[in-house]
Amino acid sequence: MTEIYEAIKRSAARIKDAIAFDDTGYSENINSTGDTQLKLDIKSDLIIEEEFAKVACIKEIVSEEKEGKTPLHVEGIYSIGYDPLDGSSLIDVNLSVGSIFGIYEGGFAGANLKAAVYVVYGPRVELVIAHENVTLYRLNQKGEFVFIKEITLGVKGNLNAPGATQMGWEPRHKAMIDAIFADGYRLRYSGGMVPDLHQILLKGGGLFSYPATSDVPKGKLRMIFEVFPFAFVYEKAGGAAINGKTRLLDLTPSHPHDTTPCFFGSQTEIERVKQCYAK
Ligand code: F6P
């Protein structure tokens, strides 16, 4: 596992430089989800693939930017699902973006996740590793990720990050979000799941939701690259993550790009979601 973390750290340092200095424009490619790829999406994906190719314990990888799996080492044991540059459409307005990694053993199912890592490219570059516990690292001027602290979520927080287009929310979802705000929670939402979930984790808790909507009934966020890794992080930090009713890590996608409605938060807020979606 350490070798994988080191490859992710090398990738993160290289991606940070690409974000800072490369062309932020669009390429002529369209990815498997139908999004036009930024040149930075393609470059970040190549950097990660290059670094993972050096690690013998990685059997296969699947990227949000590619349709299928890429085999790496036959003797490898880990399968890695990753989103090289999540929220990349925020780069042109200079907001924070991230990379997300799920490290699986025995196929891409929530139950097979062994560790999760994400990187936030903000004013500073931070990296979070979830394995037995959740730990925060920050990139220093020597290019090293220095341990900062262990992250744990409070039982109840005070931040609310309500995702997806409100026009398409179910009435029960809207009622729940309104009630949460009426209880004094503060809105914190940038439109990038990495910084939005990172903020809730570091500020003690709250709720991030990306529900089913009338136009996207299976949600937008992808299980393998986005949802499972963050569900793992939140659970290991003492919080919870569900699709409304079921624990996210109990789900198994039938296709690498399958999506799901998702809710991540502290125990109190997730209990509230369960009550709302039980109706
Ligand atoms: O999946 C990419 C992503 O940018 C997430 O980081 C973010 O939470 C979500 O999409 C926002 O999507 P939208 O702006 O379409 O609601």
Side-chain angles (χ1 to χ4, degrees):
M1 206 61 95
T2 313
E3 281 178 78
I4 298 177
Y5 299 152
E6 290 309 313
I8 292 175
K9 288 176 186 171
R10 290 194 301 273
S11 305
R14 292 176 62 189
I15 293 171
K16 162 199 147 275
D17 286 342
I19 294 170
F21 305 116
D22 281 18
D23 180 355
T24 60
Y26 283 96
S27 71
E28 288 176 358
N29 300 355
I30 293 180
N31 69 13
S32 52
T33 320
D35 302 326
T36 306
Q37 289 174 302
L38 288 174
K39 290 178 189 165
L40 279 171
D41 287 322
I42 298 171
K43 181 153 182 182
S44 307
D45 192 23
L46 283 174
I47 288 173
I48 293 168
E49 189 171 332
E50 228 173 81
E51 295 296 346
F52 280 165
K54 298 175 191 164
V55 182
C57 64
I58 306 177
K59 185 171 126 200
E60 58 183 355
I61 54 176
V62 57
S63 163
E64 197 261 340
E65 295 300 332
K66 294 205 186 79
E67 179 58 37
K69 300 172 190 169
T70 306
L72 284 187
H73 303 283
V74 271
E75 75 283 12
I77 49 172
Y78 296 112
S79 302
I80 304 186
Y82 65 96
D83 186 346
L85 205 54
D86 185 84
S88 56
S89 64
L90 298 173
I91 285 182
D92 59 358
V93 288
N94 205 18
L95 284 177
S96 299
V97 293
S99 303
I100 313 168
F101 303 85
I103 303 162
Y104 301 81
E105 191 177 341
F108 293 104
N112 292 340
L113 204 49
K114 293 290 171 270
V117 180
Y118 69 84
V119 184
V120 193
Y121 309 98
R124 297 180 181 201
V125 178
E126 294 192 331
L127 179 138
V128 170
I129 298 178
H131 189 217
E132 295 305 331
N133 57 358
V134 184
T135 42
L136 172 70
Y137 300 81
R138 189 175 294 144
L139 191 63
N140 70 9
Q141 61 273 53
K142 292 186 204 147
E144 302 152 344
F145 280 92
V146 180
F147 172 79
I148 305 293
K149 63 174 180 176
E150 186 173 336
I151 302 175
T152 50
L153 271 168
V155 178
K156 179 182 182 303
N158 63 1
L159 302 183
N160 191 18
T165 312
Q166 290 197 31
M167 209 173 62
W169 286 357
E170 289 179 51
R172 63 180 171 176
H173 183 79
K174 181 168 172 26
M176 177 187 75
I177 295 294
D178 287 348
I180 289 174
F181 281 129
D183 283 348
Y185 282 73
R186 285 176 294 151
L187 173 66
R188 290 291 183 271
Y189 191 74
S190 74
M193 80 178 295
V194 177
D196 288 337
L197 283 162
H198 190 57
Q199 176 161 213
I200 291 171
L201 271 175
L202 290 181
K203 299 236 163 135
L207 179 68
F208 174 98
S209 44
Y210 208 102
T213 54
S214 47
D215 53 333
V216 194
K218 289 189 174 165
K220 174 182 182 188
L221 300 178
R222 295 161 193 85
M223 294 190 214
I224 292 177
F225 324 108
E226 295 169 312
V227 172
F228 292 158
F230 271 109
F232 191 88
V233 171
Y234 267 63
E235 285 195 1
K236 291 289 179 191
I242 60 172
N243 68 357
K245 292 191 163 105
T246 307
R247 184 175 168 250
L248 289 165
L249 291 176
D250 287 337
L251 304 178
T252 301
S254 42
H255 182 274
H257 289 266
D258 278 355
T259 60
T260 176
C262 51
F263 301 83
F264 308 87
S266 322
Q267 295 290 345
T268 307
E269 290 79 18
I270 293 298
E271 201 42 56
R272 206 163 174 162
V273 175
K274 274 188 195 155
Q275 281 167 21
C276 161
Y277 277 82
K279 286 176 206 153

